[in-house]
Amino acid sequence: MRRDTPQRPRNFTTTHNYLVLSDLHLSEGIDPRSGKLSATEDFFHDESFARLLVYHLRLSRDLAADPALRKPWKLYINGDFLEYLQVVSLPPEDHPLVTTCGVKLEGNIREFGLGTSQPESVWKTGKIVEGHPVFFQALGWFLAYPDNELILVRGNHDVELYWPKVQEAILYLIEKQYRIWYQKTTRGLNIDSPLPLDDHPQALPADFRRRVSFPAWFVHEPPLFYMEHGHQYDPNNAFPNFLDPILPKNPKLIELPAGSFFVRYFFNQIEQMHPFADNLRPLTRYINWAINEAFSDTVRMIMRRPSDFWQAISNLLRKQGKFSQNSNLARFGSRYKLPIRGAQLHMLEDLRQQALKATSQRNGQALRRITGRFLLHIAAWILGLLGLREFVLADYLPALAWFIACGGSLLAAARLGGQLSEVDNPLDLPEISRRIVRILNREYRGTSTAVQFHIFGHDHCAAIEEITPEGQELPYRQWYVNTGSWLPIFEEMNRLSRGDIQLAFLRLIPDRPGFDREPPELLEWHYQENRPRPIRVLNRNAQQG
């Protein structure tokens, strides 16, 4: 028998406190040989991340602090930690990847970067770590403390964490960077490091590897939280089989969704021209800007690489409806020991399918408006040139007609642009969380699966929203939490309340008084004051009212 009121055990205690971040998108960083920054890099906060860890580790070791704080930490990075899609550098011709693994540096690889095979992904992992040494030294410093844990949840931009050798490479490179940090620090060569030496050992403890994990899809820790990245509800970024995302016809490669193809074959080229393009949210705002302010540059870029553009668009359209993994749940669910199984897992998958269909419809509406606006601008240029030609020939009446038609096209394009600006993020993660709540709030096989927090990332919009079901008396309030991104975000709706950059993270201290009743601690790291502070999140309901 099921009931809809979850009960939290009275003697509930935790062994850890929790830090959650997402969407860091570390790419190639700074080349240590040239000292130059990669054009596709968007993450510039390695030292702030290190200081955040130092701050919280010192809290946990402060004997004068609240006892609720004196616990080890679990650090979750909830997807899109590493930006594999924007690693475009290539290894030298004499690298073992070429000489031993047989990777040929030609064709698409020469133009767009390495693919998704296991050896190529390992090389890209090393390239990312090489460009962000302080970040990975901080992870090693964190894991040098006993009982601290690191959990790396896969997203759509770092799906290559699926490969076992990539996971091994990350563990090896964390250990290597820690060793480099320790040696430099003890020799007095690391005077600017944000990491204090304290009582750290020369090498990481032998058990540090078992304290790093790579979940296959989502994390469920009742009664605290349910966590996943969120891309599996987005038709442009959902994988047909995220649990085992290999290409059926070539199991040495990963089957990428449409959005990944768009980034690899076209969006990386856009960032070469407009480096801020990835920082405008939603993406329709960048498209509006490109059409309004840089239309000729945009057209020239498309015409310079028309095959890449059409390949990206055709992949977007062709893969739009290819996101079913229902048939794979029974096969792979038990293999990867998902924390939710059986009927509840199938209910979650049915919800995902419904959300994909609804989001796909909204995406189609936005795509039609974008296409219409672009074509209207092209028509306006052509009509204007025809009018100019007639004017030069002193045929003024036809010239006037062409100019009027040109003006009409521009007015129609402006109207579509206004409608496009009103298109919010089509992916409604808070509503999806409400529906997940209704599934998990039901007791299953005599065990409560309900949780207090439903944690997502993916859309880069830091948010908290109460999603406690109406009409139910629960022993705690339930919340949707999105941990946002550490990238600069220029979002029109929230510009005044958010600022350009939020170093957002979620902190959970379950033994703190009032934890069941108060809103979650969604914070941002204030790098100037070297401490966290509450994040400023816009009250959308109040704004709409």
Side-chain angles (χ1 to χ4, degrees), residues 294-312:
F295 183 73
S296 59
D297 289 342
T298 304
V299 170
R300 278 198 300 271
M301 181 184 65
I302 292 173
M303 297 311 295
R304 189 167 60 245
R305 312 179 71 92
S307 61
D308 299 341
F309 174 74
W310 291 116
Q311 183 179 6

CSV table of all heavy atoms in Angstrom, one decimal, residues 294-312:
chain,number,residue,atom,x,y,z
A,294,ALA,N,24.9,42.4,-36.1
A,294,ALA,CA,26.0,41.8,-36.9
A,294,ALA,C,25.5,40.9,-38.0
A,294,ALA,O,26.0,39.9,-38.2
A,294,ALA,CB,27.0,41.1,-36.0
A,295,PHE,N,24.4,41.4,-38.7
A,295,PHE,CA,23.8,40.6,-39.7
A,295,PHE,C,24.8,40.2,-40.8
A,295,PHE,O,24.9,39.1,-41.3
A,295,PHE,CB,22.6,41.3,-40.2
A,295,PHE,CG,21.8,40.4,-41.2
A,295,PHE,CD1,21.1,39.3,-40.8
A,295,PHE,CD2,21.8,40.7,-42.6
A,295,PHE,CE1,20.4,38.6,-41.7
A,295,PHE,CE2,21.1,40.0,-43.5
A,295,PHE,CZ,20.4,38.9,-43.1
A,296,SER,N,25.5,41.2,-41.3
A,296,SER,CA,26.4,41.0,-42.5
A,296,SER,C,27.5,40.0,-42.1
A,296,SER,O,27.9,39.1,-42.8
A,296,SER,CB,27.0,42.3,-43.0
A,296,SER,OG,27.7,43.0,-42.0
A,297,ASP,N,28.1,40.2,-40.8
A,297,ASP,CA,29.1,39.3,-40.3
A,297,ASP,C,28.6,37.8,-40.2
A,297,ASP,O,29.2,36.9,-40.6
A,297,ASP,CB,29.6,39.7,-39.0
A,297,ASP,CG,30.5,41.0,-39.0
A,297,ASP,OD1,30.9,41.3,-40.2
A,297,ASP,OD2,30.6,41.6,-38.0
A,298,THR,N,27.3,37.7,-39.7
A,298,THR,CA,26.7,36.4,-39.6
A,298,THR,C,26.5,35.7,-40.9
A,298,THR,O,26.8,34.5,-41.1
A,298,THR,CB,25.4,36.5,-38.8
A,298,THR,OG1,25.6,37.2,-37.6
A,298,THR,CG2,24.8,35.2,-38.6
A,299,VAL,N,26.0,36.5,-41.9
A,299,VAL,CA,25.8,36.0,-43.3
A,299,VAL,C,27.1,35.5,-43.9
A,299,VAL,O,27.2,34.5,-44.5
A,299,VAL,CB,25.1,37.0,-44.1
A,299,VAL,CG1,25.1,36.5,-45.6
A,299,VAL,CG2,23.6,37.2,-43.7
A,300,ARG,N,28.2,36.4,-43.7
A,300,ARG,CA,29.5,36.0,-44.3
A,300,ARG,C,30.0,34.8,-43.7
A,300,ARG,O,30.6,33.9,-44.4
A,300,ARG,CB,30.5,37.2,-44.1
A,300,ARG,CG,30.3,38.3,-45.1
A,300,ARG,CD,31.6,39.2,-45.1
A,300,ARG,NE,31.8,39.8,-43.8
A,300,ARG,CZ,31.3,41.0,-43.5
A,300,ARG,NH1,30.5,41.7,-44.3
A,300,ARG,NH2,31.6,41.5,-42.3
A,301,MET,N,29.8,34.6,-42.3
A,301,MET,CA,30.3,33.4,-41.7
A,301,MET,C,29.6,32.1,-42.2
A,301,MET,O,30.2,31.1,-42.5
A,301,MET,CB,30.1,33.5,-40.2
A,301,MET,CG,30.6,32.2,-39.4
A,301,MET,SD,30.3,32.3,-37.7
A,301,MET,CE,28.5,32.2,-37.7
A,302,ILE,N,28.3,32.3,-42.4
A,302,ILE,CA,27.5,31.1,-43.0
A,302,ILE,C,27.9,30.8,-44.4
A,302,ILE,O,28.1,29.7,-44.7
A,302,ILE,CB,26.0,31.4,-42.9
A,302,ILE,CG1,25.5,31.5,-41.4
A,302,ILE,CG2,25.2,30.4,-43.6
A,302,ILE,CD1,24.1,31.9,-41.2
A,303,MET,N,28.1,31.9,-45.2
A,303,MET,CA,28.4,31.6,-46.6
A,303,MET,C,29.9,31.2,-46.7
A,303,MET,O,30.2,30.5,-47.7
A,303,MET,CB,28.2,32.9,-47.4
A,303,MET,CG,26.8,33.4,-47.4
A,303,MET,SD,25.6,32.1,-47.9
A,303,MET,CE,26.1,31.8,-49.6
A,304,ARG,N,30.7,31.5,-45.8
A,304,ARG,CA,32.1,31.0,-45.8
A,304,ARG,C,32.2,29.5,-45.5
A,304,ARG,O,33.1,28.8,-46.0
A,304,ARG,CB,33.0,31.8,-44.8
A,304,ARG,CG,34.4,31.6,-44.9
A,304,ARG,CD,35.3,32.6,-44.2
A,304,ARG,NE,35.0,32.6,-42.8
A,304,ARG,CZ,34.4,33.6,-42.1
A,304,ARG,NH1,34.1,34.7,-42.8
A,304,ARG,NH2,34.2,33.6,-40.8
A,305,ARG,N,31.2,29.1,-44.7
A,305,ARG,CA,31.2,27.6,-44.3
A,305,ARG,C,29.8,27.1,-44.4
A,305,ARG,O,29.2,26.6,-43.4
A,305,ARG,CB,31.7,27.5,-42.8
A,305,ARG,CG,33.0,28.2,-42.5
A,305,ARG,CD,33.4,28.0,-41.1
A,305,ARG,NE,33.9,26.7,-40.8
A,305,ARG,CZ,35.2,26.3,-40.9
A,305,ARG,NH1,36.1,27.2,-41.2
A,305,ARG,NH2,35.5,25.1,-40.7
A,306,PRO,N,29.2,27.2,-45.6
A,306,PRO,CA,27.8,26.7,-45.8
A,306,PRO,C,27.6,25.3,-45.5
A,306,PRO,O,26.6,24.9,-44.9
A,306,PRO,CB,27.5,27.0,-47.2
A,306,PRO,CG,28.8,27.1,-47.9
A,306,PRO,CD,29.8,27.6,-46.9
A,307,SER,N,28.6,24.4,-45.8
A,307,SER,CA,28.4,23.0,-45.5
A,307,SER,C,28.4,22.7,-44.0
A,307,SER,O,27.6,21.8,-43.6
A,307,SER,CB,29.5,22.2,-46.2
A,307,SER,OG,30.8,22.6,-45.7
A,308,ASP,N,29.2,23.4,-43.3
A,308,ASP,CA,29.2,23.2,-41.8
A,308,ASP,C,27.9,23.6,-41.2
A,308,ASP,O,27.3,23.0,-40.3
A,308,ASP,CB,30.4,24.0,-41.2
A,308,ASP,CG,31.7,23.5,-41.7
A,308,ASP,OD1,31.8,22.4,-42.2
A,308,ASP,OD2,32.7,24.3,-41.5
A,309,PHE,N,27.4,24.8,-41.7
A,309,PHE,CA,26.2,25.3,-41.2
A,309,PHE,C,25.0,24.3,-41.5
A,309,PHE,O,24.2,24.0,-40.6
A,309,PHE,CB,25.9,26.7,-41.8
A,309,PHE,CG,24.5,27.2,-41.5
A,309,PHE,CD1,24.3,27.7,-40.2
A,309,PHE,CD2,23.5,27.2,-42.4
A,309,PHE,CE1,23.0,28.3,-39.9
A,309,PHE,CE2,22.2,27.7,-42.1
A,309,PHE,CZ,22.0,28.2,-40.8
A,310,TRP,N,24.9,23.9,-42.7
A,310,TRP,CA,23.8,23.0,-43.0
A,310,TRP,C,24.0,21.6,-42.4
A,310,TRP,O,23.0,20.9,-42.1
A,310,TRP,CB,23.7,22.8,-44.6
A,310,TRP,CG,23.2,24.1,-45.2
A,310,TRP,CD1,23.9,24.9,-46.1
A,310,TRP,CD2,22.0,24.8,-44.9
A,310,TRP,NE1,23.1,26.0,-46.4
A,310,TRP,CE2,22.0,26.0,-45.7
A,310,TRP,CE3,20.9,24.5,-44.1
A,310,TRP,CZ2,20.9,26.8,-45.7
A,310,TRP,CZ3,19.8,25.4,-44.1
A,310,TRP,CH2,19.8,26.5,-44.9
A,311,GLN,N,25.2,21.2,-42.2
A,311,GLN,CA,25.4,19.9,-41.5
A,311,GLN,C,24.9,20.0,-40.0
A,311,GLN,O,24.3,19.1,-39.5
A,311,GLN,CB,26.9,19.5,-41.5
A,311,GLN,CG,27.2,18.2,-40.8
A,311,GLN,CD,28.7,17.8,-40.9
A,311,GLN,OE1,29.5,18.6,-41.3
A,311,GLN,NE2,29.0,16.6,-40.4
A,312,ALA,N,25.2,21.2,-39.4
A,312,ALA,CA,24.8,21.4,-38.0
A,312,ALA,C,23.3,21.4,-37.9
A,312,ALA,O,22.6,20.8,-37.1
A,312,ALA,CB,25.4,22.7,-37.5
